[in-house]
Amino acid sequence: MKTKTSTVALCALLAGPAAAAPGESAVLPPAGATTYVAEAVGRVIDVSPDGKGAVETLVEVAGTTQNTLGQSIFDQMKARCLISFTSDGAKSSAVGACTETDGDGDILFTSFDGQAGKLLGGTGKYAGLTGSAVFSLTPEPVSVAGKIAFSVKHEVTWALK
């Protein structure tokens, strides 16, 4: 991402319609580590050649998270992301920003560049949160043209300021 300011602004834009249903969510420990998976489905917004032989694809996706360790933290969050994929045929990369809204309506802002992710804080219990993540993206089959689906494993560590 170009700047933290633009990433946070993009996350704030995404936050609006992503609110989860009210409910009880996990208490966030002041520091920790966990693993969760987001299953996401979305749509292709734009496909453009960059003039240098590569193609850029902008997608919007939404999905739900599941903590794979059985913990309540980062579980059943509603995720919404904007992602830019670049491919030149031999290699591809992805950058993006997401909002993840828990059952209390608190929002976590995240960004990523390839497999490297950042936890950028958020609202409520996520205010002051910082951290990092390793992302593993697995494409999933989709039978509808213009749609995209994948699962994303997040291995995260965090601390509250």
Side-chain angles (χ1 to χ4, degrees), residues 5-161:
T5 304
S6 64
T7 300
V8 171
L10 178 59
C11 289
L13 176 67
L14 290 171
E24 196 171 319
S25 67
V27 173
L28 183 66
T34 196
T35 301
Y36 66 98
V37 173
E39 301 291 337
V41 177
R43 66 186 180 95
V44 174
I45 296 172
D46 186 50
V47 178
S48 300
D50 72 354
K52 301 175 189 171
V55 174
E56 302 230 1
T57 304
L58 181 63
V59 300
E60 175 185 38
V61 298
T64 304
T65 67
Q66 179 180 2
N67 187 299
T68 60
L69 303 178
Q71 301 167 327
S72 57
I73 195 69
F74 303 123
D75 191 54
Q76 299 303 308
M77 296 178 81
K78 303 298 180 193
R80 187 167 178 211
C81 307
L82 282 177
I83 306 168
S84 176
F85 292 97
T86 303
S87 176
D88 67 4
K91 61 182 177 176
S92 62
S93 63
V95 297
C98 304
T99 60
E100 299 176 23
T101 306
D102 69 18
D104 293 334
D106 295 337
I107 300 169
L108 172 64
F109 301 126
T110 63
S111 69
F112 61 92
D113 188 345
Q115 291 184 321
K118 294 181 183 178
L119 284 65
L120 303 171
T123 66
K125 71 179 75 59
Y126 305 110
L129 182 133
T130 61
S132 62
V134 175
F135 292 130
S136 303
L137 187 139
T138 304
E140 300 291 345
V142 178
S143 60
V144 178
K147 295 289 184 177
I148 187 169
F150 50 84
S151 61
V152 183
K153 180 178 178 183
H154 301 69
E155 296 177 60
V156 300
T157 59
W158 74 89
L160 287 169
K161 291 182 182 179

